[in-house]
Amino acid sequence: MTDRMTDRQERPVRRAGQAGAGELLELVRSGRAVTRGALQQVTGLSRATVGQRLDRLFRAGWLREGAGGPVGSPLGGRPSITLEFDDRHAVVLAADLDTRHARAAVLGLTGEILAEHSGTLVVEDGPEAVLGELGHWFDRLLEKTGRPAADVCGIGLAVPGPVDTGTGRVVQPPMMPGWDGYDIRGRLSRAFTEHTGAGTVPVLVDNDANLMAYGEQRAGHPGCGAFVLVKVSTGIGAGVVVDGVIYRGTDGGAGDIGHIRIGADALCRCGSHGCLAAVASGGAVARRLAESGVPAASGADVRDLLAAGHPEATALAREAGRQVGVVLATVVTLLNPGVLMIAGDLAGTPFLTGVRELLYQRALPRSTAHLDVVTSRLGERAALIGAGALVVEHLYAPERAEERLRALGV
């Protein structure tokens, strides 16, 4: 793995003379070419052809002219006009579902949160009710921003289960009863239309840890070629970003470390015994606290107890960190990441201390020599920002951009 990649994986430009408007947009968005002259040099297109391609992007409202750049010739002359992605022409909707709580937001195309709402939303109530309520939330958030629903170009959704990203459906999710194989994309798109009156928009669905990792890597560690985020809340999951791209495995199952068996007897929600999540998740710590008479029913309750310095919660969180650290020693040895980020309800000093104790004890020194073990930078917004970024990267990728430009008639 290397650290040479930026926050967007560089896509090769088609051979000289063949780059379309989508490729030119990508060059501008990535910063690889931000003037007309630079676009000619990179693509091999003529000045007239570059002008024609850019004209389509200007008419779509996707590009704007910025300030003049430095003069390129020692003989002087007029400075080159820079080109910029115009992020004002559309917005993205994003939502992050947890087992008993959800967060939704309207985001600009460069990731800033324009309006946000969080509240109780119980995933066990089923997809029909939950996704319908999200549609209502989106409508209220758009009203708050003053943006019309027609400005929405796409929706991103983070869910606490494994996702087949080809279909957008969750696959045998232990913490989402009634959701297995459900058409999440279709229902959320309909809910958006029902509550806003707008037309259909693309909906992308991914695992919450994946989107948290994507958001955190782009925002805080864009140069890290191998990034791992571990979310420890009601359950345990990991997101992996390699060279700027989410690594999902063959069918979306990568990163499901909460169901690695560690030899304990505890019964997991997946039906197996001895899973890591059954003994070291926020839910598992909450159960142990409840058994000893401390009121706790979820990872969020444990988080509150840890914030208050509760001694038993602190001890159990450190122990849980040690158990997770044993598994992460294998993860780190296999992937050799530059950053290992701990996020979720238990992501505090006691848990992090436990992780470090066992991780550095069990992993090969070579695997940890250049490893930073850190906690979340974006906090509860990480999955929202990751979901928004996923939608933007999908919709403005060269081939999809060309399709959308044709649909716009430009």
Side-chain angles (χ1 to χ4, degrees):
M1 306 298 174
T2 69
D3 288 347
R4 63 178 177 82
M5 301 300 292
T6 60
D7 62 342
R8 183 184 297 112
Q9 184 186 40
E10 292 187 358
R11 301 181 180 95
V13 178
R14 285 191 245 177
R15 68 175 182 268
Q18 290 194 342
E23 277 87 4
L24 267 59
L25 179 66
E26 175 70 10
L27 289 168
V28 173
R29 291 185 61 233
S30 67
R32 293 168 63 190
V34 296
T35 65
R36 289 168 172 81
L39 289 170
Q40 288 177 240
Q41 290 181 338
V42 172
T43 63
L45 296 173
S46 69
R47 180 177 178 179
T49 303
V50 166
Q52 292 169 354
R53 304 276 199 271
L54 292 179
D55 183 60
R56 298 178 67 198
L57 298 170
F58 281 120
R59 282 187 286 144
W62 295 1
L63 278 188
R64 65 184 174 213
E65 290 187 340
V71 176
S73 169
L75 299 177
R78 297 193 327 182
S80 300
I81 299 298
T82 59
L83 302 169
E84 300 174 350
F85 180 59
D86 192 340
D87 61 338
R88 300 168 298 183
H89 70 273
V91 294
V92 173
L93 298 175
D96 177 21
L97 287 181
D98 208 334
T99 54
R100 304 190 64 80
H101 184 268
R103 187 175 295 269
V106 181
L107 296 92
L109 298 182
T110 52
E112 70 277 20
I113 291 181
L114 307 177
E116 185 177 6
H117 175 74
S118 63
T120 300
L121 205 54
V122 181
V123 77
E124 290 185 355
D125 287 345
E128 188 73 21
V130 170
L131 298 175
E133 182 63 15
L134 279 181
H136 178 54
W137 288 13
F138 287 151
D139 184 40
R140 288 190 296 170
L141 285 167
L142 286 168
E143 288 181 4
K144 187 175 180 181
T145 63
R147 298 291 294 256
D151 282 358
V152 175
C153 63
I155 300 173
L157 177 65
V159 297
V163 176
D164 179 344
T165 53
T167 64
R169 300 170 188 253
V170 291
V171 182
Q172 299 178 357
M175 296 189 296
M176 302 177 71
W179 290 70
D180 186 21
Y182 185 84
D183 181 16
I184 296 175
R185 288 178 179 171
R187 176 64 183 115
L188 188 53
S189 180
R190 290 194 303 275
F192 169 73
T193 298
E194 289 164 4
H195 286 280
T196 66
T200 59
V201 296
V203 176
L204 299 184
V205 185
D206 209 332
N207 171 261
D208 54 358
N210 284 347
L211 293 178
M212 290 174 70
Y214 196 50
E216 294 277 8
Q217 189 268 342
R218 291 168 60 89
H221 305 274
C224 182
F227 178 94
V228 176
L229 177 142
V230 178
K231 178 187 178 184
V232 187
S233 291
T234 302
I236 300 176
V240 180
V241 179
V242 177
D243 286 348
V245 178
I246 298 172
Y247 178 75
R248 300 183 177 89
T250 300
D251 57 7
D256 203 2
I257 65 171
H259 299 286
I260 293 175
R261 298 185 188 181
I262 60 172
D265 292 330
L267 177 64
C268 182
R269 296 181 68 163
C270 73
S272 298
H273 287 80
C275 293
L276 181 66
V279 296
S281 65
V285 172
R287 284 193 296 273
R288 293 186 64 181
L289 287 169
E291 289 169 359
S292 64
V294 179
S298 67
D301 293 334
V302 177
R303 179 190 60 208
D304 294 341
L305 290 167
L306 291 172
H310 190 281
E312 189 171 356
T314 298
L316 289 174
R318 182 166 180 170
E319 180 183 342
R322 289 170 58 86
Q323 292 166 319
V324 172
V326 172
V327 172
L328 291 183
T330 300
V331 172
V332 166
T333 301
L334 177 65
L335 296 178
N336 189 209
V339 175
L340 171 62
M341 178 174 285
I342 306 299
D345 293 330
L346 266 60
T349 300
F351 186 87
L352 193 63
T353 299
V355 167
R356 284 177 167 151
E357 285 178 5
L358 267 292
L359 172 62
Y360 287 104
Q361 182 185 116
R362 299 288 183 91
L364 292 171
R366 185 179 181 281
S367 300
T368 58
H370 302 289
L371 175 67
D372 290 330
V373 182
V374 299
T375 54
S376 172
R377 172 181 174 180
L378 300 177
E380 295 180 334
R381 292 177 164 179
L384 292 178
I385 292 172
L390 191 72
V391 170
V392 172
E393 290 302 318
H394 172 74
L395 292 179
Y396 294 93
E399 290 187 4
R400 183 54 61 94
E402 289 285 355
E403 294 174 5
R404 295 176 65 214
L405 287 170
R406 287 193 293 269
L408 290 170
V410 299

